[in-house]
Every structure is written in structure tokens, then in C-alpha cells.
Amino acid sequence: MNVTDEELGCFIRTLRDSGGYDLSDYSDKSLKRRLQKVLDDSRLPFGTFIGNIKQDRLFAEKVLKDITVNTTELFRDPQMWQTLRHRILPRFKANKTINIWHAGCSTGQEVYSMIILLNEMGLLDKAKIVATDINNDVLDVARKGQYKYRFNISYLDNFDQVMKHNPFNYDEVYDVSYEKYFVIDKAKDILSIKKEYTEIPFFRKHDLVKDGTFVYAKFDIVFCRNVIIYFNNKLQNNVFNLFHQNLYPKGCLILGAHEAILGPWAPRFEKNGSFYTKK
Ligand SMILES: C[S@@+](CC[C@H](N)C(=O)[O-])C[C@H]1O[C@@H](n2cnc3c(N)ncnc32)[C@H](O)[C@@H]1O
């Protein structure tokens, strides 16, 4: 049976009132699909499921974590990383510091991809990196920087594309080994980010719906990729407002491949593919 509009409304109200998470401005379509899956997996009747959210804070937390999508990968969308490397980051070379915020960082692969890129460009010493997510479990994984090797092996191709080649100049080839950044234990099926790099980012919980500005400094670069795709237009606009406020002039917001700034915030940014420069 499919989740009805009434059930979705009841779920959203209960999770907001009992769990403190407000999903009312998430996109109905994807929320319904996720709720259906979580309900099916729980094997509970809808009434019991809602009762458990009301009575059990930990159950409510778990439901929130199961409802949100955490898919991520190293150097996801390699072309974006190539453009970042050769067209965007050179703008920040003269900066004394480069402040970076990864909003909706999930298990951290995006954060470590950026750290590797910055290191190869000689910019890592200037970088101050904050990475946030609504889900404490993914943040714990991100802090450790330990992933399933077999699951991540195909993403090493992304690493090669971004770290070893320059699509804007085919004569340029870089020699960067995996061992420089990863410890790979095939027997245990673990790919670990080297400790010297896991110590660099500051990971903390932050809810884009309600937490607003959380640091005093502004940012040169904000990543928010594959997060707003789950939000409706109203929430997307609130989040664009938040990012606009928190970026320096000429700072850059990076969205996912299937996301865009449309509507009232569009004229406040200059668009170049997935990159939005604050005017
Ligand atoms: C699909 S992952 C994207 C990960 C990474 N940015 C990437 O593109 O590979 C979306 C992440 O957004 C987080 N998220 C969802 N709603 C959020 C909110 N209101 N505030 C902060 N993070 C949120 C989820 O927990 C999830 O980890």
C-alpha cells in the first residue's frame, strides 16, 4: 500500500513535535517514497510506527536517519572536480586563508576529495574546513574516514580522472599514488583515509532547516551537493539565503549535478555549470 497524503502529514507533524526535525518543506514525492520504504522495513502498522516516534526519542532519531539519503562517493562527478581544480580554485591561490563549508557532507568522501585536491594544489595549509550534516551517525563515519574498500574501489577511477589528468591540457599528467592518501587493507576490506588528513576537517551536527548561521567567519567556498534536491522550492530559497549570507563576495557555492538556483536568488549569483559565484 502506498503512503497517503494524510499519513505523510501525520508523520511530518509527529517527527517535528516529538523528534525536533521539521521535514515539512522536503519534497513530498521523495519523502513519500522514503517513508514507504522505512515503513515496509519496520514491518509495523502505521499507527504503531507513529506511536513509537512519539514515545521513543531514539526510534524517532533512527527514523530520521533512515528517511534521509546518504549516498556519496569519492570525487563524485569527476568533471566537477576537474573544473574546480583548473578553473575555480586558482582564483583563491592568493588568499591567506580559504574557508570551506561542506553542508550535508554525509560520510565525508566529498570532504576528503577536497582535502586531497587542495593538498595536490599546495593550498591545504590555507584551508579551514567545516563539514556538517543532520545525521550524527554519518558524521561518526566521516570522522573516522574508514570505508568499505570493495564498495569504494570503482571510485578510485574518479580519483585517477581528477588527480592524474588535466582535460584542459592533455600534455599535463600527474603521478599521484593511492598510498599517499589511503591505507588499503584488502583482506579486511577497508579503505582508510590517512590520519593526518582525517584530523583536518571539523565535523559537526547542523540542520539546514533550523540551525542557520553557526560560525562567525564567512566562507570562500560552500559545497551543498545532492542535498537540496530533497527540498521544496521554499526551503531551497531559505538555504540559498543562508549560503548567500555566509559567503564572502566572489565566494563560490557548489551544487550537485541535478540541482540549480532558480527563482529569487538566481540574480544574486553568477552561474557557471554547478558553480555559483556570489555577486
Ligand atoms: C545524498 S547525501 C550528499 C552527500 C554529499 N554532499 C555528496 O554529494 O556526495 C545528502 C546528505 O544531506 C543530509 N541532509 C538531509 N537533510 C539535511 C538537513 N536538513 N540539514 C543538513 N543535512 C541534511 C543527509 O543526512 C545526507 O547525509
Side-chain angles (χ1 to χ4, degrees), residues 26 69-72 76 104 106 110 133 206-208 225-226:
Y26 279 53
V69 178
N70 304 122
T71 315
T72 187
R76 185 177 196 174
S106 187
E110 178 186 275
D133 202 283
H206 176 272
D207 181 350
L208 285 164
R225 301 167 67 224
N226 308 296

Side-chain angles (χ1 to χ4, degrees), residues 171-184:
D171 293 338
E172 249 177 58
V173 180
Y174 316 93
D175 184 19
V176 190
S177 68
Y178 301 143
E179 290 73 29
K180 190 169 174 187
Y181 295 102
F182 312 125
V183 178
I184 295 176

Side-chain angles (χ1 to χ4, degrees), residues 175-221:
D175 184 19
V176 190
S177 68
Y178 301 143
E179 290 73 29
K180 190 169 174 187
Y181 295 102
F182 312 125
V183 178
I184 295 176
D185 185 332
K186 290 186 188 168
K188 290 193 179 143
D189 190 25
I190 296 175
L191 178 149
S192 310
I193 308 292
K194 284 197 167 172
K195 195 165 182 284
E196 63 215 82
Y197 302 109
T198 57
E199 285 171 347
I200 292 171
F202 176 55
F203 289 102
R204 59 160 282 178
K205 187 172 177 177
H206 176 272
D207 181 350
L208 285 164
V209 174
K210 65 175 190 330
D211 290 341
T213 296
F214 64 99
V215 286
Y216 295 110
K218 287 192 188 276
F219 293 96
D220 298 288
I221 299 174

Side-chain angles (χ1 to χ4, degrees), residues 46-61:
F46 185 75
T48 314
F49 179 79
I50 290 293
N52 286 358
I53 296 177
K54 278 187 189 153
Q55 284 151 23
D56 183 348
R57 176 87 206 188
L58 288 179
F59 186 84
E61 280 282 329

